[in-house]
């Protein structure tokens, strides 16, 4: 359900500048009375994204049924908080299977969804024999970081030797790393290496 020329969604520029700089940049070429055209996103998803920007709650059913759409909209309009929260819901509700694992891995990599990528990597590790029987490695997206992330997701068979204060962070999952970063006031959106 794309936007029509008659569809209007109202927003305050000040709120957009403060809470959604990516959306605010869309408004810059227009004066205050001119509607800003929105393309490439469903009207209902855009409305949910604006609700999030305004600090309103998004219904459980919307998270459950539209979390991937919200990730896409958040990625398009640089709504980091929405993207991270939608990713959590997507990981919670999306069933990872051998049939969709490569698509999800490619999607996670393309959208920089590190929590989703970690969940996919864990699935690959936990189901490695089935995956090896059913999938060709030629199907895997070419990325050195994916191999590093896959190895990080594997449970360690060798006792970990601690070599300094940062060593403990190498084996933490993305959720734990984000929690630690948030506790210290750091940005929580990033790869394992960044966090």
């Amino acid at each position: 359900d794309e936007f029509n020329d008659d569809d209007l969604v109202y927003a305050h520029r000040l709120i957009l500048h403060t809470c959604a700089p990516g959306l605010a940049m869309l408004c810059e070429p227009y004066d205050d009375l001119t509607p800003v055209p929105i393309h490439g996103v469903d009207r209902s998803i855009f409305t949910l994204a604006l609700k999030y920007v305004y600090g309103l709650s998004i219904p459980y059913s919307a998270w459950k049924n539209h979390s991937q759409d919200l990730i896409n909209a958040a990625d398009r309009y640089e709504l980091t908080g929405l993207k991270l929260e939608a990713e959590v819901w997507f990981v919670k509700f999306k069933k990872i299977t051998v049939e969709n694992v490569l698509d999800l891995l490619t999607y996670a990599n393309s959208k920089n969804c590190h929590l989703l990528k970690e969940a996919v990597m864990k699935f690959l590790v936990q189901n490695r024999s089935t995956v090896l029987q059913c999938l060709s490695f030629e199907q895997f997206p070419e990325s050195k970081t994916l191999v590093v992330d896959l190895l990080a997701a594997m449970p360690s068979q060798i006792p970990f030797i601690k070599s300094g204060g940062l060593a403990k962070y190498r084996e933490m999952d993305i959720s734990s790393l984000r929690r630690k970063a948030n506790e210290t006031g750091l940005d929580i959106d990033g790869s394992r290496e960044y966090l």
Side-chain angles (χ1 to χ4, degrees):
D1 192 19
E2 292 284 325
F3 281 97
N4 298 321
D5 291 338
D6 300 334
D7 292 334
L8 293 176
V9 177
Y10 295 93
H12 300 89
R13 287 179 187 251
L14 181 61
I15 290 177
L16 295 182
H17 280 284
T18 304
C19 303
L23 285 174
M25 285 183 3
L26 288 176
C27 300
E28 286 178 5
Y30 301 93
D31 64 47
D32 289 346
L33 300 176
T34 305
V36 177
I38 301 295
H39 302 287
V41 65
D42 184 84
R43 178 183 48 216
S44 62
I45 300 303
F46 186 79
T47 303
L48 288 171
L50 272 182
K51 283 180 77 169
Y52 187 89
V53 167
Y54 273 79
L56 302 172
S57 63
I58 293 179
Y60 176 85
S61 61
W63 288 122
K64 184 174 183 178
N65 299 318
H66 301 292
S67 54
Q68 186 172 10
D69 297 323
L70 288 167
I71 291 170
N72 294 336
D75 189 61
R76 181 182 191 105
Y77 298 112
E78 302 173 24
L79 304 171
T80 305
L82 174 60
K83 182 178 169 185
L84 294 173
E85 190 164 349
E87 182 185 7
V88 169
W89 288 97
F90 186 70
V91 168
K92 179 178 180 171
F93 292 118
K94 186 65 176 179
K95 180 170 175 50
I96 302 172
T97 65
V98 172
E99 290 76 25
N100 70 10
V101 70
L102 292 180
D103 290 335
L104 289 174
L105 183 59
T106 303
Y107 178 75
N109 202 40
S110 71
K111 297 292 182 186
N112 292 315
C113 291
H114 303 288
L115 186 65
L116 175 59
K117 186 165 39 170
E118 182 176 81
V120 170
M121 297 293 185
K122 285 182 180 178
F123 176 87
L124 288 169
V125 170
Q126 292 168 352
N127 299 282
R128 69 185 124 215
S129 60
T130 306
V131 168
L132 287 170
Q133 289 174 358
C134 297
L135 299 176
S136 165
F137 281 102
E138 294 167 2
Q139 295 173 299
F140 278 91
E142 293 180 11
S143 174
K144 291 179 183 178
T145 59
L146 289 177
V147 174
V148 171
D149 289 342
L150 181 58
L151 293 174
M154 289 183 156
S156 178
Q157 303 299 322
I158 303 168
F160 188 64
I161 300 170
K162 302 211 182 278
S163 59
L166 296 178
K168 65 182 177 182
Y169 297 110
R170 289 190 190 124
E171 290 192 351
M172 292 176 103
D173 61 21
I174 294 293
S175 295
S176 300
L177 288 170
R178 284 181 177 167
R179 227 179 342 275
K180 280 283 195 200
N182 188 47
E183 288 170 4
T184 57
L186 298 173
D187 187 7
I188 61 171
D189 183 27
S191 65
R192 175 182 303 284
E193 293 78 23
Y194 175 79
L195 293 171

